Amino acid sequence: MVHSYSCATFFTLFTLTFSSFTSAFTSQHYSDALTKSILFFEGQRSGKLPANQRLSWRADSALNDGSSANVDLVGGYYDAGDNVKFGLPMAFTTTMLAWSIIEFGDNMKSELGNAKDALRWSSDYLMKAATATPGTLYVQVGEPYSDHHCWERPEDMDTPRNVYKVSAQNPGSDVAAETAAALAAASIVFQDSDSSYSHKLLQTAKSVFDLADKYRGSYSDSLGSVVCPFYCSYSGYNDELLWGAAWIHKASQDASYLSYIQSNGHVMGSDDDDFSFSWDDKRAATKVLLAKGFIVNNIGELQAYKQHSDNYICSLIPGSPNSQAQYTPGGLFYKQGQSNLQYVTTSSFLLLTYGKYLDSNGGHASCGSSMVTSETLITQAKKQIDYILGDNPMKMSYMVGFGDKYPTRIHHRGSSVPSVHDHPDRISCDAGHQYFNSQSPNPNILVGAIVGGPDSNDNYGDDRGNYSESEPATYINAPFVGAAAFFSGH
Ligand SMILES: *[C@@H]1O[C@H](CO)[C@@H](O)[C@H](O)[C@H]1NC(C)=O
């Protein structure tokens, strides 16, 4: 007891010291970061761009997507620096954009509309993908190998736009359940502003979930080299099934999904986390989402998820008895070398969201025998977000267009090849490589893009060829939108 009490005191002091003396950024800075983090999604748009498109160096692209299967799959997002539309990361991005708005939309002020537009750009696409052919979910447009072999603007793209799907015969429970999660989460966002759209989203979420659950299998097995090793479902599909059920339950309050969670929850043990909440692994986030049902809504059946979430959250807090996460010398959460900032934005989002849930009824997380308050969770998340924005050993922001120093040679085809507005002539697959190999900064600023980030020693080379550090991705930004909104309002 004495030990636990001194730990709690330590955390309190730590929080106070940090927030009074080391605020690198003001709420103005976080508002700016929020604006830019949403603007980034316009640069990733596929399809016909609307008249109010603000990232003006982009133009229409992939206007015939789906035609090879006689369906309309125009729209959605390119996942990162290439021109493939990958369903699993797109659905995950959609879920996280929706969750960002659900938790922190109240802090978004004038950006709320832009955030909802960014969400709708992909929820519209996922609706097409889920309803174009009954019993089928389209999960990809484009050929990763031929696409990656070229360095082409999306507007010039001429590689095959083959269409891939999952169905009863070719199951893909992972991608289908994530799509169900995305549609259900989006239905919550649009409940008040567009109830008929919200209703369609939820109905479609349920039918896609049925497909995922009735015909079990991984899309990695059904689609093989089309999705692996790019967005292979390494964690399997159990995590997405529970995550999908949790989102549909949250959106619908339908008790059958709660029963489903109760009968299937055992597939997620309590100590199997490896801090890798991402487009692939949903376990940590499912625990946090379900814990809300207990903490905020008093659903007794979900009590166990409070402890599961505490364990996960405690593991992220340096100095906590259960601390397990790795940090760079400069203090950045470090999971792995490839696109590490995706784990930073997802875990920061969970810290803030769990902190909010705890706060709503005066609770705390139990870390071993000590208590951790929501203030500590917020402090930890703030360190990570501030690091991304420039409070780091390189003294640079890892968000393009934010601050004075930021990545200039990001691994992104559209950003690095001249805009079609400046250079209307076609730039072919091979001709684009001169821009890839150039030492010059990218001509088009992909405002708001957060890149993969620095290495385990806080070094960053600003090297276009090094995609692990210099490639942005929609799923890095989506949770950041919520975190930036939180700090802009505090
Ligand atoms: C990629 O960048 C990181 C961070 O700057 C660096 O540690 C790593 O060695 C680079 N990899 C290659 C292949 O250049």
Side-chain angles (χ1 to χ4, degrees), residues 109-144:
K109 304 194 185 79
S110 59
E111 286 301 328
L112 181 60
N114 290 324
K116 286 167 80 172
D117 287 350
L119 170 61
R120 195 160 183 150
W121 194 267
S122 52
S123 59
D124 279 351
Y125 174 81
L126 295 177
M127 283 294 283
K128 289 183 182 183
T131 58
T133 308
T136 294
L137 174 68
Y138 291 93
V139 299
Q140 186 162 318
V141 184
E143 289 289 324

Side-chain angles (χ1 to χ4, degrees), residues 9 23 45 57 76 82 125 139 148 184 208 212 216 222 225 254 269 287 291 314 320 416-417 476 479:
T9 309
S23 230
R45 282 174 171 173
W57 49 267
D82 58 5
Y125 174 81
V139 299
H148 292 173
V208 176
R216 292 198 184 188
S222 297
S225 65
D254 180 335
K287 292 171 183 178
C314 297
S320 139
S416 63
V417 177
I476 306 179

Side-chain angles (χ1 to χ4, degrees), residues 397-414:
S397 150
Y398 290 103
M399 173 186 275
V400 174
F402 184 89
D404 302 331
K405 187 180 171 201
Y406 52 79
T408 63
R409 291 186 286 261
I410 64 171
H411 183 96
H412 190 278
R413 287 163 179 74

Side-chain angles (χ1 to χ4, degrees), residues 453-455 459-461 463 466 468-469:
D455 66 13
N459 294 315
Y460 185 80
D463 171 5
N466 188 340
S468 294
E469 66 159 28

